[in-house]
């Protein structure tokens, strides 16, 4: 009977910064890979190097805000 309130309290404890940093970096890399895959669907010539998407004349850098980490918390 107390398991549900204890589980809610467990999720209220913030994660350590190194866990958030590692999770953010992995999600950021996944986001850039997903973006490149989507561009390749439309036959756009694109090259991915880490979190930098190279379109020839332009280079797009995937920022920390694009990791999607803020969408996971709510």
């Amino acid at each position: 009977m107390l398991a549900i309130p204890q589980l809610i309290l467990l999720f209220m404890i913030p994660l350590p910064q190194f866990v958030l940093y590692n999770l953010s970096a992995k999600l950021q890399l996944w986001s850039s890979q997903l973006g490149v895959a989507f561009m390749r669907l439309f036959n756009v010539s694109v090259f991915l190097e880490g979190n930098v998407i190279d379109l020839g004349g332009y280079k797009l850098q995937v920022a920390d805000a694009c990791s999607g980490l803020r969408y996971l918390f709510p």
Side-chain angles (χ1 to χ4, degrees):
M1 193 152 186
L2 286 174
I4 293 174
Q6 288 177 343
L7 188 64
I8 291 172
L9 285 175
L10 180 68
F11 282 117
M12 292 178 69
I13 299 171
L15 294 173
Q17 285 293 58
F18 72 91
V19 172
L20 291 177
Y21 179 74
N22 287 337
L23 184 60
S24 177
K26 289 178 184 178
L27 287 173
Q28 187 179 6
L29 184 60
W30 187 65
S31 176
S32 57
Q33 290 171 347
L34 185 65
V36 166
F38 188 71
M39 283 189 261
R40 287 182 178 156
L41 275 175
F42 293 101
N43 294 326
V44 176
S45 178
V46 65
F47 178 71
L48 179 65
E49 185 177 349
N51 285 331
V52 178
I53 300 172
D54 190 359
L55 294 168
Y58 298 103
K59 288 189 179 185
L60 305 173
Q61 184 174 4
V62 180
D64 289 334
C66 297
S67 69
L69 191 58
R70 293 183 184 205
Y71 295 114
L72 290 178
F73 285 125

